[in-house]
Structure formats: C-alpha cells, structure tokens
Amino acid sequence: MIHRLHDQQLESFQSFLVCFVKPEKISGLSAKGLKSIQLNEDQGQFLKIQDMFVGAEVDKIISESSKGDHDISDFLKMAAASYVKCAIHMQAKLPLDNGLLRALSCIDPAARGHTVTAVELKKLTTVHMRHFLVNEEQATVGHEVLMYQVDDKLPEFEGQDIGQWWAKITKLKKYPGLCKVVAAALSIFHGPQVESSFNLMGDIMDPKSSRLNVETFNSLLTVKYTFLSKKTTSVKYFDRPSCKYSEVNLRLCRNLRDAAAKHKKANQIKAEQKKSLQEKLKINTSKKVSKIKAKEKTQQSVEAARQQHVNQQKKEARKRALEGLVESVQKKKKSN
C-alpha cells in the first residue's frame, strides 16, 4: 500500500548503506539526513575494505586465501567502488525527503497517537491533498485530525487490511474530511502493476487507435486483465474444435451485435450533436478545398480570363476591319 512506500524506501537505503558505512554514521538519521550524507569521498564514514559486507561465501574464500593475494585486494576495491556508486545513484533517485510520501505514511493506524503523526496528517489534509475537500471540510479537517489522535472509541487495528479498517472509520461518520482524504490516498495506483498497465496501454493505443474513448479503453483493459488472470488468450478461450459442426457461442454473437449497434448509435448521436452545435454557432460546414484543387481552380480562372481577353481582342480587331472597309467604300463613292 502507498502508506508503506516512504518507510520501505528508507529501510532499503539504510540496509544498503550499512554494508559499507559505519553504523554510527547512519544510525538515527532521518530521511533528510540520509539524503544529504556525504558519499563522494571517504571522510571517515566508510568501513575498512576488509570489514565490508560481501556475503558469507566470499568471506570464506577470503579467509582461506593468503593475506597478500592481489586478486582478493582488487576485488574488495572494486566492491567498495561499486557500493559507493550505487549508493550515490540511489541517493539521487529515491524520493527520500518527499513530503507527500512522508505524510502518507501517517495514515497507518499503528502511527496514531503521536505528535509527528498529527503534524504530518495535518499537512496531508490541508496542503498536499486539500483539493479533495470543499470549503466547509477544509475548515474542520484540522480539528478532525487532532480528535482522531486521541479517540479511544475507534476499533482496534490488529494488523488487518488498512483499507478495511478505514472503511469502518468512514461508516462511523465522525471524521468525514479526514476519511475522504485517506480514501483518495489509498486509491493511488503504484507498484509493479503501474508498469504492466503502461505495457497494456502500449499494446492497445497506437497511431491507428488513438481516438479510443475512455469507456472503450477501460473495456479493453478489463478483457485483457480477465484473460491474464485466467492465463489464457481470446483465441484459446473462444476456440472450437470444428468451425462447421461445433456449437456457436451465442453470448459472444449477441455481444458483438449489441456492441456494433451501440457504436452506430453513439456515432449518430455524436454527429447530431456536432451538427446542432455548428448550426447554433453558425459555423460554415462546407469542406475546405485542398491545395491541388485550389491550384487547379486558379489555373482554370486564369485560362478563362485569358480566353476572354483573346476573344475581346478579336472582336475589336474585327470591328476595326469592318469600319475600315466601310470607310474605303464611302471614299470610292465620293470619287465616282
């Protein structure tokens, strides 16, 4: 669960450091102290090379070897360098001093009744996750946190599931704001399933199916998780010995038919809504002309204008020729 993430990463880092760092240098350090401990160079905080933890089998090999064995000495030096390099990487990557994770660790019922728990829960409800509460709940949640610390009438927490315990507290309706924040915190998705979910998402979402709506995507994930839990595939699940003589799965056929009808109806409703909105906003729905079509249309208009100009020039030339002919005829008449 999410409330254990801060303590577990702190414990993991401590258990790694103790392999090559003196215990007194890390004992009692907070997460912030572990985050800032000097690891780049030895300032007296590292164990001697021969005192590092390298495993029982390696210790046995070292004890059976001679003191001047260069291979053993080189191995220990490389082990020490590996320890330091890995620790520096963990120190940089692990969110040891993350305020939200530290506050989430205080929703554990086992931590109830301490001042630090009250302070961190107050930060959780009034700072980190205050957006889950309305104004009235934000005004009273601080007092709920304090009362929760000293309430002796709450059911005992005996190591059962933390979600079930908080469900009991929610039914009491004594701490509505606090319970709402805790419910949101416990629903945070984390752990190895996150990676597997992204893998499944990558199998579903691709350039050709990027317009899937949320309902369809959730349905596909549900089907995939169902087949994964049954350790089978859709081909094996719906397989028939004979395509011609085996009985048809009527439920599958009905589901396919209903899904197609729902999809067609949804598309129709969507088209009608889009048309109604376009009419309301007076949007021109005529399709835009492509660049090729626009170029062809421009060429046609230019050609039409050129042809019109040529015809006009021919018409004027014909008119001038007729006027010249008439003038010459009239001159002949006058001379006669």
Side-chain angles (χ1 to χ4, degrees):
M1 300 293 284
I2 190 67
H3 67 286
R4 296 177 182 170
L5 189 56
H6 178 265
D7 295 335
Q8 285 182 351
Q9 69 177 5
L10 187 61
E11 183 181 347
S12 298
F13 191 50
Q14 285 178 329
S15 64
F16 185 79
L17 288 179
V18 80
C19 294
F20 69 102
V21 179
K22 295 177 180 178
E24 61 270 19
K25 297 295 182 179
I26 57 177
S27 178
L29 286 181
S30 63
K32 189 175 181 180
L34 290 174
K35 191 77 172 176
S36 59
I37 189 173
Q38 177 60 250
L39 296 172
N40 290 316
E41 57 181 343
D42 189 2
Q43 298 178 350
Q45 75 274 31
F46 294 160
L47 293 169
K48 294 180 180 179
I49 290 181
Q50 59 270 23
D51 294 330
M52 292 188 313
F53 174 77
V54 288
E57 294 183 2
V58 177
D59 284 336
K60 183 179 179 181
I61 294 174
I62 293 175
S63 63
E64 294 174 354
S65 304
S66 60
K67 293 184 178 181
D69 194 328
H70 294 290
D71 291 335
I72 297 296
S73 177
D74 292 340
F75 169 78
L76 291 176
K77 289 179 181 179
M78 288 189 293
S82 300
Y83 269 135
V84 172
K85 190 173 182 179
C86 291
I88 292 174
H89 182 77
M90 292 175 68
Q91 191 180 45
K93 294 298 182 180
L94 288 176
L96 297 172
D97 55 349
N98 185 278
L100 175 58
L101 292 180
R102 187 169 59 251
L104 286 171
S105 64
C106 293
I107 66 176
D108 192 336
R112 191 168 67 94
H114 298 278
T115 304
V116 176
T117 304
V119 172
E120 292 297 335
L121 277 180
K122 187 176 180 180
K123 290 181 182 179
L124 181 67
T125 54
T126 60
V127 179
H128 299 297
M129 303 182 72
R130 67 188 302 270
H131 50 282
F132 287 101
L133 303 176
V134 296
N135 294 333
E136 295 79 7
E137 292 171 333
Q138 290 177 4
T140 59
V141 71
H143 188 258
E144 290 181 15
V145 169
L146 297 175
M147 291 301 298
Y148 164 74
Q149 301 301 318
V150 297
D151 194 343
D152 296 331
K153 297 181 180 179
L154 296 181
E156 292 291 332
F157 180 72
E158 299 177 351
Q160 69 264 37
D161 184 80
I162 186 175
Q164 296 177 356
W165 189 86
W166 274 105
K168 296 177 182 178
I169 306 303
T170 304
K171 290 180 180 179
L172 298 177
K173 299 182 180 180
K174 295 177 68 175
Y175 311 107
L178 177 61
C179 289
K180 184 183 289 188
V181 171
V182 171
L186 292 176
S187 65
I188 295 175
F189 196 42
H190 74 288
Q193 290 183 341
V194 176
E195 185 67 25
S196 63
S197 297
F198 278 116
N199 289 337
L200 287 174
M201 187 184 296
D203 294 338
I204 297 173
M205 303 295 288
D206 56 37
K208 294 183 179 180
S209 60
S210 59
R211 296 179 65 185
L212 284 175
N213 57 36
V214 177
E215 292 78 11
T216 305
F217 179 72
N218 285 339
S219 300
L220 289 171
L221 277 183
T222 301
V223 172
K224 281 184 171 289
Y225 275 123
T226 301
F227 286 138
L228 283 174
S229 64
K230 295 183 178 181
K231 297 181 180 180
T232 184
T233 63
S234 57
V235 176
K236 293 180 180 178
Y237 187 80
F238 295 108
D239 184 38
R240 295 187 298 161
S242 173
C243 296
K244 185 175 182 181
Y245 298 105
S246 298
E247 184 178 357
V248 176
N249 191 325
L250 298 178
R251 184 179 179 182
L252 176 62
C253 296
R254 183 169 58 252
N255 290 341
L256 290 171
R257 185 175 61 251
D258 293 343
K262 288 180 180 179
H263 179 68
K264 184 177 180 180
K265 186 177 180 180
N267 287 343
Q268 185 179 358
I269 294 174
K270 188 176 179 180
E272 291 176 353
Q273 291 175 347
K274 183 179 180 180
K275 185 178 179 181
S276 175
L277 183 60
Q278 288 173 342
E279 292 176 353
K280 185 178 180 180
L281 299 176
K282 297 180 180 180
I283 298 175
N284 184 11
T285 57
S286 58
K287 293 184 178 180
K288 293 182 179 180
V289 181
S290 64
K291 290 184 179 180
I292 297 176
K293 292 288 184 181
K295 188 175 180 180
E296 291 177 354
K297 192 174 182 179
T298 303
Q299 290 177 347
Q300 291 175 359
S301 61
V302 170
E303 181 64 25
R306 189 190 68 80
Q307 189 63 40
Q308 184 179 3
H309 177 71
V310 171
N311 294 337
Q312 183 68 24
Q313 292 295 322
K314 288 181 179 179
K315 186 177 180 180
E316 291 179 356
R318 192 180 298 111
K319 183 179 180 181
R320 287 195 298 269
L322 289 174
E323 290 176 351
L325 182 62
V326 170
E327 185 177 354
S328 63
V329 170
Q330 290 176 352
K331 285 182 180 181
K332 286 183 179 180
K333 287 182 179 180
K334 289 179 181 181
S335 62
N336 292 333

